[in-house]
Amino acid sequence: MSKLKELPFSTLQFYATAPYPCSYLPGRQARSQVAAPGHLINAGTYSQLVEQGFRRSGLFTYRPHCDSCQACVPVRVGTQEFAPNRSQRRAWRDHRNLQSFVAELAWSPEHYRLYTRYQQGRHPGGGMDEDSRTQYAQFLLTSRVNTRLVEFRDADGALMMVSIIDVLDDGLSSVYTFYDPDIEGSLGTYSILWQIEQCRTLNLPWLYLGYWIADSRKMAYKSSFHPAQFLFDGEWRDQADLPSP
C-alpha cells in the first residue's frame, strides 16, 4: 500500500456538483467533486490530482463524490511487473500488425465518423451515440495538460482505433479509446496493452485506467490487468489487500 501526500494546492478550490443520474449503476444518483479554476491545472498539478483519484473530461477535472455510494474505485496497473493472461496475449497477437501514429489533437472528420460508429455499435442508447461535433470536441479534443491522440491503422491505412492518452509524471492516463465496432478480437484490450508497453518504453511505473465498479459489467475488464492497485480511503492498495465486499 502507498499512502498519498496531501495536495499542496492552496490556489485550487473543490466543489461538489448537484446530483445527477449515474451512468453505470441504474437507479442511483451520482455527484462529482470538481477541481477549479481549470486554468490553474497544468500538467504537473494534474498528475498529482490523478494520483488522488481525479479524472479528466475535456477541461473538467473531477472525481466521484457520491452521498451514499463508493462504488467507483480508481485503478492503476503496475506496468513494469505486468504479465498478460491468455486472452490478453491473444488480443496482442490479433492486432500486433496495427501501426500507431501520434496525430494532432484536433478536429478530424475521419475520427468523428469512427467515434460515431463506435458509440452506435457499442453503446447504443447511452446518450453519447448522439454526440454532436461540438460535444465530441469538448469531450476529447480540449486539454490543458500533456495529451496525445494516437491513431491505429491497418496495413492499407484504414483507421481502426483512436486512443486519447494523458502523459503524467509517474505514468500514462488512459482517457478514452474508440474503435471500429465491426472488427473481431478485442481492440479495447489491445489498446491497454499498447499503453502498458508505452509506459515501459518511457520507464513510467503506472497506467491509470480510471474507475472500476465491481457491479458494472462495462468496468469488469479493468480488474483483469495484473498487478493492479485500487484507491481506497486515501491509499493505493494491492488487489489482495482490498476490503471484503
Side-chain angles (χ1 to χ4, degrees), residues 87-100 122 151-155 160-161 179-194:
S87 64
Q88 290 162 354
R89 290 195 298 270
R90 183 170 59 249
W92 184 262
R93 289 195 303 268
D94 289 345
H95 303 298
R96 66 183 181 276
N97 292 326
L98 289 180
Q99 298 177 325
S100 59
R122 292 303 178 104
E151 299 177 341
F152 296 84
R153 297 181 181 272
D154 66 13
M160 297 288 104
M161 181 167 64
Y179 49 83
D180 187 333
D182 298 325
I183 297 298
E184 295 183 357
S186 182
L187 275 170
T189 295
Y190 175 80
S191 73
I192 294 176
L193 297 173
W194 185 90

Side-chain angles (χ1 to χ4, degrees), residues 137-148:
Q138 290 175 343
F139 174 37
L140 295 178
L141 303 182
T142 54
S143 173
R144 293 191 179 96
V145 299
N146 192 357
T147 301
R148 299 286 185 272

Side-chain angles (χ1 to χ4, degrees), residues 31-73:
R31 299 177 75 190
S32 294
Q33 183 183 51
V34 180
H39 69 272
L40 294 181
I41 302 175
N42 56 25
T45 301
Y46 183 64
S47 292
Q48 296 179 65
L49 287 169
V50 171
E51 191 184 5
Q52 298 278 349
F54 283 80
R55 291 284 286 170
R56 183 179 68 80
S57 177
L59 302 180
F60 184 74
T61 303
Y62 69 96
R63 66 181 173 186
H65 190 67
C66 302
D67 296 325
S68 58
C69 177
Q70 296 183 347
C72 292
V73 181

Side-chain angles (χ1 to χ4, degrees), residues 2-244:
S2 56
K3 195 164 182 66
L4 297 177
K5 302 174 183 178
E6 291 187 8
L7 290 173
F9 301 147
S10 58
T11 56
L12 287 183
Q13 297 180 341
F14 300 89
Y15 67 90
T17 67
Y20 55 87
C22 179
S23 301
Y24 300 104
L25 299 175
R28 298 197 191 184
Q29 292 288 298
R31 299 177 75 190
S32 294
Q33 183 183 51
V34 180
H39 69 272
L40 294 181
I41 302 175
N42 56 25
T45 301
Y46 183 64
S47 292
Q48 296 179 65
L49 287 169
V50 171
E51 191 184 5
Q52 298 278 349
F54 283 80
R55 291 284 286 170
R56 183 179 68 80
S57 177
L59 302 180
F60 184 74
T61 303
Y62 69 96
R63 66 181 173 186
H65 190 67
C66 302
D67 296 325
S68 58
C69 177
Q70 296 183 347
C72 292
V73 181
V75 58
R76 65 185 186 182
V77 179
T79 60
Q80 305 307 309
E81 302 83 15
F82 170 75
N85 59 31
R86 177 184 290 184
S87 64
Q88 290 162 354
R89 290 195 298 270
R90 183 170 59 249
W92 184 262
R93 289 195 303 268
D94 289 345
H95 303 298
R96 66 183 181 276
N97 292 326
L98 289 180
Q99 298 177 325
S100 59
F101 305 90
V102 176
E104 184 180 2
L105 189 69
W107 167 258
S108 162
E110 183 184 28
H111 296 167
Y112 179 64
R113 286 194 298 270
L114 182 63
Y115 174 83
T116 301
R117 286 185 56 216
Y118 169 78
Q119 295 296 345
Q120 293 173 349
R122 292 303 178 104
H123 305 291
M128 295 173 70
D129 55 334
E130 299 179 357
D131 276 1
S132 66
R133 295 184 180 186
T134 299
Q135 289 170 314
Y136 163 80
Q138 290 175 343
F139 174 37
L140 295 178
L141 303 182
T142 54
S143 173
R144 293 191 179 96
V145 299
N146 192 357
T147 301
R148 299 286 185 272
L149 186 154
V150 184
E151 299 177 341
F152 296 84
R153 297 181 181 272
D154 66 13
D156 297 323
L159 182 66
M160 297 288 104
M161 181 167 64
V162 172
S163 289
I164 310 296
I165 305 165
D166 289 338
V167 182
L168 310 174
D169 292 342
D170 66 345
L172 299 178
S173 176
S174 185
V175 178
Y176 202 76
T177 292
F178 55 93
Y179 49 83
D180 187 333
D182 298 325
I183 297 298
E184 295 183 357
S186 182
L187 275 170
T189 295
Y190 175 80
S191 73
I192 294 176
L193 297 173
W194 185 90
Q195 291 174 53
I196 289 172
E197 285 301 311
Q198 288 298 298
C199 286
R200 288 174 167 174
T201 299
L202 298 170
N203 199 29
L204 296 172
W206 303 109
L207 175 62
Y208 291 84
L209 293 181
Y211 304 116
W212 170 74
I213 302 173
D215 294 331
S216 172
R217 292 179 59 188
K218 293 180 180 180
M219 298 294 190
Y221 71 94
K222 296 186 180 183
S223 62
S224 66
F225 294 85
H226 304 290
Q229 288 190 340
F230 299 78
L231 186 61
F232 273 99
D233 297 328
E235 291 183 333
W236 285 102
R237 306 186 185 186
D238 295 334
Q239 201 158 12
D241 299 324
L242 297 183
S244 300

